């Protein structure tokens, strides 16, 4: 799958293709901004105030609204370049902040956190290579969105397992089931992004070699 260079203008499509605009003040962007504000709120509630029930609510709202901004953007024709940046940024910040906070309070083992952070490091390396060759980040794949959904669903359930004795066993089983599937798909999506980046880089080098000849 190809990706336009970052320095090129995005062409206006037709035939039902959604084209990102330059809007800033839109409802989807507002929702994404509120989701971003939920990250420091969660960290405060969980690590400082130790208000676990409130932290669960913030996590659950952040996870369940993951798809809302994108759905509204497509529904209202408010897809924007800013929104395409804010949505995955909010997802990653929720995941990273939750992982670090959960590791600090031993809700999840450090090995699980290290596995997810290693995937993020791999993706950052791939993005750096793409930038060097004039390409922006690849479009979000449905595998990656599924993995993000599973992880964001798993986190509040894992926290619930720590606070609710009556349903702790069931919540722990469900939460870890979602978390491990999310981790597997997260790495699968990362591998797909690396393959995409490799194909783009090889294509650029092939064109450069042909031009030099």
């Amino acid at each position: 799958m190809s990706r336009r260079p970052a320095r090129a203008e995005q062409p206006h499509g037709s035939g039902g293709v959604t084209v990102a605009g330059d809007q800033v003040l839109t409802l989807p962007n507002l929702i994404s901004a509120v989701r971003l504000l939920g990250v420091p709120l969660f960290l405060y509630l969980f690590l400082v105030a130790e208000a676990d029930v409130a932290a669960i609510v913030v996590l659950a709202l952040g996870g369940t609204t993951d798809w809302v901004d994108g759905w509204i953007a497509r529904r209202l024709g408010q897809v924007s370049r800013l929104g395409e940046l804010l949505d995955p940024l909010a997802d990653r910040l929720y995941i990273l902040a939750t992982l670090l906070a959960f590791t600090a309070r031993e809700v999840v083992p450090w090995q699980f956190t290290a596995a997810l952070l290693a995937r993020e490091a791999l993706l950052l390396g791939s993005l750096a290579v793409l930038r060097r060759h004039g390409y922006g980040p690849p479009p979000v794949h449905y595998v990656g969105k599924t993995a993000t959904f599973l992880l964001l669903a798993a986190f509040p359930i894992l926290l619930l397992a720590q606070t609710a004795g009556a349903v702790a066993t069931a919540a722990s089983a469900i939460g870890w089931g979602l978390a491990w599937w999310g981790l597997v798909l997260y790495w699968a999506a990362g591998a797909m992004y690396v393959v995409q980046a490799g194909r783009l880089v090889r294509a650029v080098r092939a064109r450069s070699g042909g031009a030099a000849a």
Side-chain angles (χ1 to χ4, degrees):
M1 179 173 55
S2 62
R3 171 70 174 173
R4 65 178 178 86
R7 58 178 174 266
E9 292 297 323
Q10 182 170 352
H12 291 277
S14 59
V17 177
T18 302
V19 179
D22 296 319
Q23 308 99 313
V24 174
L25 298 177
T26 65
L27 180 58
N29 290 349
L30 176 61
I31 294 173
S32 295
V34 171
R35 292 184 67 224
L36 284 171
L37 292 176
V39 174
L41 176 60
F42 161 74
L43 291 175
Y44 170 78
L45 292 172
F46 188 65
L47 294 177
V48 180
E50 295 191 1
D52 290 353
V53 174
I56 290 174
V57 172
V58 172
L59 266 185
L61 289 175
T64 54
T65 56
D66 173 38
W67 61 274
V68 172
D69 45 6
W71 182 84
I72 291 178
R74 292 186 295 272
R75 187 78 173 180
L76 300 182
Q78 294 182 347
V79 176
S80 66
R81 294 181 179 89
L82 178 61
E84 290 178 342
L85 293 175
L86 287 179
D87 185 32
L89 176 62
D91 292 342
R92 280 192 169 83
L93 284 180
Y94 260 103
I95 291 174
L96 294 177
T98 304
L99 276 175
L100 294 177
F102 277 17
T103 305
R105 285 189 50 184
E106 299 182 346
V107 177
V108 300
W110 67 265
Q111 294 92 337
F112 186 86
T113 301
L116 280 175
L117 293 180
R119 185 269 192 187
E120 289 299 314
L122 176 67
L123 188 59
L124 286 175
S126 299
L127 292 177
V129 172
L130 287 174
R131 288 288 185 187
R132 194 180 311 129
H133 288 83
Y135 282 87
V140 177
H141 196 275
Y142 76 92
V143 175
K145 291 297 291 182
T146 302
T148 299
F149 174 80
L150 291 174
L151 290 171
L152 291 177
F155 291 149
I157 298 175
L158 289 174
L159 184 53
L160 179 64
Q162 299 290 314
T163 59
V167 295
T169 302
S172 179
I174 295 171
W176 278 114
L178 293 172
W180 284 114
W181 270 110
L183 176 62
V184 170
L185 291 180
Y186 213 54
W187 267 98
M192 294 171 67
Y193 293 141
V194 170
V195 171
Q196 292 173 11
R199 288 174 178 171
L200 289 174
V201 170
R202 287 193 295 271
V204 170
R205 290 175 177 173
R207 288 198 298 268
S208 299

